[in-house]
């Protein structure tokens, strides 16, 4: 759609024209400007591009003149039309993996993307997942001294040891960091798309142990009794970041797949409070007296760790099961622990 003017200079006539044109290029829906000056034609404009895995803004042009190194038409008109231009587009590989690259138009009108996608900020692959607290072990026994065992209880003079070790954990979010991708892509030949890259798959994790042990000696007469002893309560918490280097190789046929074994270990120390207690009861009345003895640090050679196998495949749901997690827990014997603790305190 153009308007033209005809000028006569001496015996020569020159035609000039300007107007708009609609390009027949997939992914582009915009009007371009037309400039015609005595045989030299330039069609050019800014456009929003959306096709396949690409979206962005581009500068698009066509001319029957040569295209210089600066990307601008130059020289006299010829009999050949050439496409030129380019811009920046976002390459969206997955809903969470995308980056911006430069593009160029080939002389035949096809667009080609070839370059590196640097993604400076982390990309979340999956959200944080809380692992509910669960028992690793528990113990509760009566040891008759001068007592008569009656089922699970003993009447008379007895010792009691009870304890439990619990674990809890939280994992995530799982992130891709320091990611850089190389891509070759032509929207007219999407089946030949190839993306490669490297990065770090990083998963922060926090976990903890809760240990409570009570040892006492007392007299149980059935309807009444008294006992005294010590109670140790405490635990540890840890935060660690497990990471693994990954390589990415993506094609339309294979999709994106990530596999890594993430592992983290620490050598923590338990921090405990140690209380003494006396408990007395008669029928339905019960009272307990307590006194704080000391705060105590235990264990310099304890090892606590976690290993988590990670598998992600594009198009499949990502989930982490408690059964997938391997805990490496300290080997703690409640009875031996109490005995060693009493010797240390003494």
């Amino acid at each position: 759609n153009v308007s033209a003017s005809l000028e006569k200079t001496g015996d020569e006539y020159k035609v000039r024209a300007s107007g708009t044109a609609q390009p027949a290029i997939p992914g582009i829906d915009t009007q371009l400007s037309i400039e015609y000056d005595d045989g030299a034609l330039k069609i050019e404009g800014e456009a929003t591009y959306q096709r396949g895995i690409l979206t962005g803004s581009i500068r698009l042009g066509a001319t029957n003149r040569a295209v210089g190194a600066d990307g601008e038409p130059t020289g006299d008109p010829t009999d050949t039309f050439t496409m030129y231009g380019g811009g920046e587009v976002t390459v969206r590989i997955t809903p969470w993996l995308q980056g911006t690259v430069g593009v160029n138009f080939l002389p035949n009108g096809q667009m080609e993307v070839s370059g590196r996608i640097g993604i400076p900020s982390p990309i979340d692959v999956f959200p944080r997942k809380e692992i509910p607290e669960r028992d690793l072990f528990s113990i509760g026994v009566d040891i008759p001294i001068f007592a008569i065992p009656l089922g699970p209880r003993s009447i008379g003079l007895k010792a009691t040891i009870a304890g439990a070790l619990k674990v809890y954990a939280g994992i995530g979010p799982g992130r891709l960091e320091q990611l850089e991708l190389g891509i070759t892509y032509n929207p007219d030949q999407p089946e030949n798309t190839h993306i490669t890259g490297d990065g770090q798959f990083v998963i922060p994790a926090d976990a903890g142990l809760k240990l409570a042990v009570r040892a006492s000696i007392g007299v149980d007469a059935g309807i009444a009794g008294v006992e005294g002893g010590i109670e140790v309560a405490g635990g540890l918490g840890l935060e660690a970041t497990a990471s693994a280097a990954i390589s990415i190789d993506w094609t339309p046929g294979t999709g994106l797949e990530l596999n890594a074994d993430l592992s983290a270990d620490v050598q923590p120390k338990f921090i405990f409070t140690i209380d003494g207690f006396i408990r007395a009861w008669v029928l339905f009345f019960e009272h307990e007296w307590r006194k704080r003895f000391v705060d105590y640090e235990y264990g310099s050679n304890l090892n606590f760790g976690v290993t988590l196998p990670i598998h992600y495949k594009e198009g499949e749901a990502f989930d982490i099961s408690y059964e997938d997690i391997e805990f490496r827990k300290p080997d703690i014997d409640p009875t031996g622990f109490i005995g060693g603790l009493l010797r240390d305190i003494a």
Side-chain angles (χ1 to χ4, degrees), residues 3 7 31 74 83 103 147 157-158 169 210 216 240 262 269 286 337:
S3 59
E7 297 181 2
Q31 284 192 333
T74 185
M83 289 282 294
V103 299
L157 181 64
K158 64 177 182 177
K210 295 180 179 179
S216 66
L262 304 177
K269 294 182 179 180
E286 179 178 329
F337 172 74

Side-chain angles (χ1 to χ4, degrees), residues 91-99 119 123-124 176 179 181 195 248 256:
V91 183
R92 186 175 186 268
I93 302 169
T94 71
W96 47 264
L97 181 54
Q98 56 188 358
I119 305 176
I123 298 171
D124 286 353
L176 287 174
L179 190 63
L181 302 179
I195 298 172
I248 295 174
L256 183 64

